[in-house]
Amino acid sequence: MCGIVGFLAKDAALQDTLGEFLVPMLTCMGERGPDSAGLAVFSAPLPASKRRFSLWTRDWHFDWASLGRRLAADTGAQADLGPLENHAILISTVPVGLLHAWLDQQFPGVHLLSAGRSIDLYKDEGHPAEIARRYEFSRLAGTHGIGHTRMATESAVSPAHAHPFTAGEDFCLVHNGSLSNPCSIRRRLEKQGIAFETDNDTEAACRFLEWRMTGGETLEQALAAAFKELDGFYTLLMATTDRMVLVRDRFACKPAVVAETAAYVAVGSEYRALAHLPDIRHARLFEPAPEQIYSWTAPASA
Amino acid sequence: MDRPSQRLIRLDLEQQTLREVNDFLHQRLPHEFAGGEMPRVEILNPNGRHNVAVGLDTPVEVDILGHAGYFIAGMNKAARVTVHGNVGWSVAENIMSGTVRVKGCASECAGASGRGGLLVIEGDASSRCGISLKGSDIVVAGSVGHMAAFMAQAGTLVVCGDAGAGLGDSLYEAVLYVRGQIAGLGADARIEPLSAPDHQRLTRLLAAAGLPHAPQEFQRVGSARNLYHWHADRGGAYG
């Protein structure tokens, strides 16, 4: 059992308080997944020359300023850092591949959680309520965000095994369920030169979808392929720069409830995660059908 | 909470714990009103909580005002529970008797393994409605999702809307009636003609649910009973 949550602000006035909507949802779903938690938040894209990188290390007293100075010195790239203890958002002109290689060499204890023009990502081990406090989720703003509360069943409890998983840029995924064939998917992708960071089944699904999209498919086309290729149980909630996308497998035995109003779309594993959202009494509530793709687009940021 | 001498008792799940509410329904209510007229009980602010009004065994009327979570009114015996909203998984699971009515929609496994009583869903029920049914009657005013009445052994499922794929898969002696489209029958389920007893059963259940449809608008689905027995002819399939 795990919990998933998502919130997309249709009304730009809700963007500033995105985190305040998501924290009670995530905390409530801590009952479905107390091991670890994570949240990805999307905001207005940076100019094409820049990227946002979410960085994480175990060291709570890490010297982020020094990392920024050395990155600038070694690569000549701009490096603006927004640190919060063991996590930092780096905004830089450094290419993602170069940053990855540089971190591996210079700071092997610093992990790149996400990259893109609009995504920020936080995930760690611990109870979701505690992780929300640690990383000040309630202060986060953005157009949409998706989160996860994990009860590990098939691979280790570690910060790297927490969701959301990312692949490529500005794409992330949370998963409630378990896959039966992640190893065969992984072997196929590794032959294409795609590197994995964990042995987690959800990472295989995430990299599979991103691999299809890199090959030119839309997310919808990639999901149609995933319906055929992914063997197992899943409710998947995904986010891109401007979209939140939800699917359930053909058995639909992993839950999801959607609440939609004129102002927002909210997704939760259970209704109780949504019960305290504004105007929920007038929301259109529904349970997503098996193998249907539900997609919502965020309006451009204010 | 109102004084017990009043005819209406309100319990608020924002003010009391679920355990306190269920404990009141299980212990204090039958004790305090033994031999007299039962009050009606309203439960406020369910807010998607699970296990509300489970295990009741008193002929009391309970109204849950709002959307509720999983296992609502599970194992119900004698009580009449109405949910004024939607419910999550497994409403009225293993219901023994009495009535459970959902004014909204139900998520999966509604009425699972119920042994008696009546479950009415006024909206839609999703997948696996009436799975392993063992004697209850279920009436769904809307449609049901896939795998409804999977391995249902006894009882009745009436669907006034459409039925999803795999209807009645591995059915035993439960009988299903569907008024709308059937996306597909499961293994060993078959369409059967409606007989006079079917008309009577449908008339009784539709009246109990408060629905206006005529029995002849429904198709009957029963078990072909081909999965009941071992076929010696297929022995070779097992090497």
Side-chain angles (χ1 to χ4, degrees):
Chain A
M1 199 160 63
C2 293
I4 59 165
V5 297
F7 190 96
L8 180 143
K10 293 180 179 177
D11 179 351
L14 302 183
Q15 291 174 9
D16 288 346
T17 51
L18 187 77
E20 287 179 27
F21 297 119
L22 279 162
V23 167
M25 296 169 72
L26 200 69
T27 302
C28 176
M29 288 295 94
E31 285 193 22
R32 293 182 63 91
D35 296 344
S36 25
L39 183 67
V41 168
F42 291 75
S43 49
L46 293 171
S49 59
K50 289 189 175 180
R51 292 292 180 275
R52 333 173 52 92
F53 302 100
S54 294
L55 304 175
W56 182 93
T57 169
R58 281 193 185 277
D59 180 1
W60 280 43
H61 305 289
F62 187 77
D63 183 358
W64 292 106
S66 151
L67 180 144
R69 282 193 300 274
R70 279 186 47 195
L71 179 66
D74 289 358
T75 67
Q78 282 181 0
D80 298 321
L81 273 154
L84 185 67
E85 293 179 339
N86 62 327
H87 185 281
I89 307 285
L90 166 68
I91 295 179
S92 175
T93 50
V94 67
V96 58
L98 177 57
L99 178 66
H100 228 301
W102 183 81
L103 284 173
D104 279 351
Q105 274 205 333
Q106 304 297 326
F107 294 95
V110 175
H111 299 276
L112 181 58
L113 300 181
S114 67
R117 289 167 59 196
S118 51
I119 184 174
D120 288 336
L121 194 141
Y122 306 79
K123 63 180 186 177
D124 210 336
E125 212 178 306
H127 192 277
E130 198 243 317
I131 288 166
R133 272 194 302 276
R134 190 185 305 167
Y135 296 109
E136 300 179 1
F137 285 173
S138 60
R139 295 173 55 172
L140 296 175
T143 48
H144 56 300
I146 65 174
H148 188 266
T149 63
R150 182 163 186 247
M151 182 181 283
T153 52
E154 55 69 62
S155 57
V157 177
S158 85
H161 287 80
H163 304 210
F165 277 90
T166 61
E169 295 190 23
D170 288 321
F171 175 65
C172 71
L173 176 154
V174 294
H175 172 207
N176 174 200
S178 58
L179 301 179
S180 310
N181 64 340
C183 297
S184 61
I185 290 171
R186 181 182 172 141
R187 281 193 295 271
R188 272 174 60 194
L189 297 186
E190 282 176 336
K191 281 181 193 163
Q192 314 280 329
I194 292 168
F196 279 68
E197 290 177 0
T198 71
D199 56 348
N200 182 275
D201 59 342
T202 305
E203 185 180 355
C206 186
R207 295 202 184 279
F208 175 82
L209 291 168
E210 203 270 337
W211 168 64
R212 302 290 300 205
M213 290 190 286
T214 303
E217 290 186 348
T218 63
L219 180 53
E220 278 78 359
Q221 289 167 327
L223 284 167
F227 289 147
K228 293 197 184 92
E229 302 277 351
L230 299 185
D231 182 11
F233 303 122
Y234 50 87
T235 293
L236 300 177
L237 183 62
M238 293 147 282
T240 67
T241 300
D242 62 348
R243 289 207 292 164
M244 183 166 77
V245 178
L246 174 68
V247 296
R248 299 172 80 201
D249 69 73
R250 66 173 62 181
F251 305 104
C253 60
K254 294 298 173 187
V257 178
V258 180
E260 187 162 11
T261 72
Y264 64 81
V265 181
V267 177
S269 293
E270 300 174 25
Y271 171 75
R272 62 187 168 135
L274 316 175
H276 299 285
L277 289 172
D279 204 31
I280 191 74
R281 283 170 186 276
H282 300 108
R284 184 171 81 94
L285 292 171
F286 66 94
E287 188 177 271
E291 292 198 344
Q292 293 283 312
I293 299 172
Y294 298 84
S295 172
W296 298 275
T297 302
S301 295
Chain B
M1 191 190 311
D2 296 343
R3 281 177 289 118
S5 59
Q6 288 179 309
R7 289 280 294 116
L8 172 65
I9 293 178
R10 286 203 175 96
L11 307 171
D12 188 343
L13 280 165
E14 295 281 278
Q15 307 295 327
Q16 292 166 277
T17 65
L18 176 66
R19 195 172 286 263
E20 286 168 345
V21 166
N22 282 341
D23 189 57
F24 176 82
L25 295 168
H26 294 159
Q27 309 287 342
R28 278 185 55 196
L29 186 78
H31 178 72
E32 290 183 15
F33 292 89
E37 191 188 6
M38 278 285 158
R40 191 166 71 83
V41 177
E42 285 185 352
I43 300 176
L44 311 182
N45 294 310
N47 287 334
R49 282 185 182 80
H50 304 328
N51 308 320
V52 181
V54 291
L56 303 191
D57 59 359
T58 305
V60 61
E61 194 174 333
V62 176
D63 287 274
I64 300 172
L65 303 182
H67 303 310
Y70 293 1
F71 308 113
I72 303 306
M75 302 176 283
N76 187 68
K77 191 171 165 187
R80 297 180 304 281
V81 179
T82 303
V83 182
H84 298 258
N86 302 327
V87 291
W89 284 9
S90 303
V91 63
E93 184 187 44
N94 216 73
I95 177 175
M96 302 301 285
S97 63
T99 305
V100 175
R101 179 179 284 269
V102 178
K103 307 287 276 184
C105 294
S107 185
E108 70 171 81
C109 295
S113 73
R115 290 180 174 269
L118 173 67
L119 169 63
V120 179
I121 313 285
E122 295 192 4
D124 298 326
S126 74
S127 56
R128 293 172 272 270
C129 177
I131 184 172
S132 196
L133 195 66
K134 294 179 175 70
S136 306
D137 296 316
I138 302 177
V139 181
V140 181
S143 297
V144 295
H146 61 274
M147 297 301 277
F150 177 58
M151 294 186 84
Q153 293 137 57
T156 321
L157 172 64
V158 180
V159 181
C160 300
D162 301 331
L167 176 68
D169 194 285
S170 308
L171 197 59
Y172 291 85
E173 293 304 302
V175 177
L176 324 177
Y177 301 99
V178 181
R179 183 163 165 271
Q181 301 290 314
I182 297 171
L185 294 171
D188 213 28
R190 68 179 183 190
I191 307 283
E192 298 175 339
L194 279 183
S195 63
D198 292 314
H199 278 252
Q200 288 160 12
R201 177 144 59 158
L202 273 165
T203 302
R204 176 176 61 82
L205 290 175
L206 290 165
L211 292 164
H213 313 303
Q216 58 269 26
E217 296 169 17
F218 289 80
Q219 294 187 88
R220 175 189 156 111
V221 175
S223 173
R225 299 174 184 164
N226 287 325
L227 297 178
Y228 274 34
H229 306 292
W230 165 254
H231 285 268
D233 295 354
R234 296 184 194 140
Y238 301 93

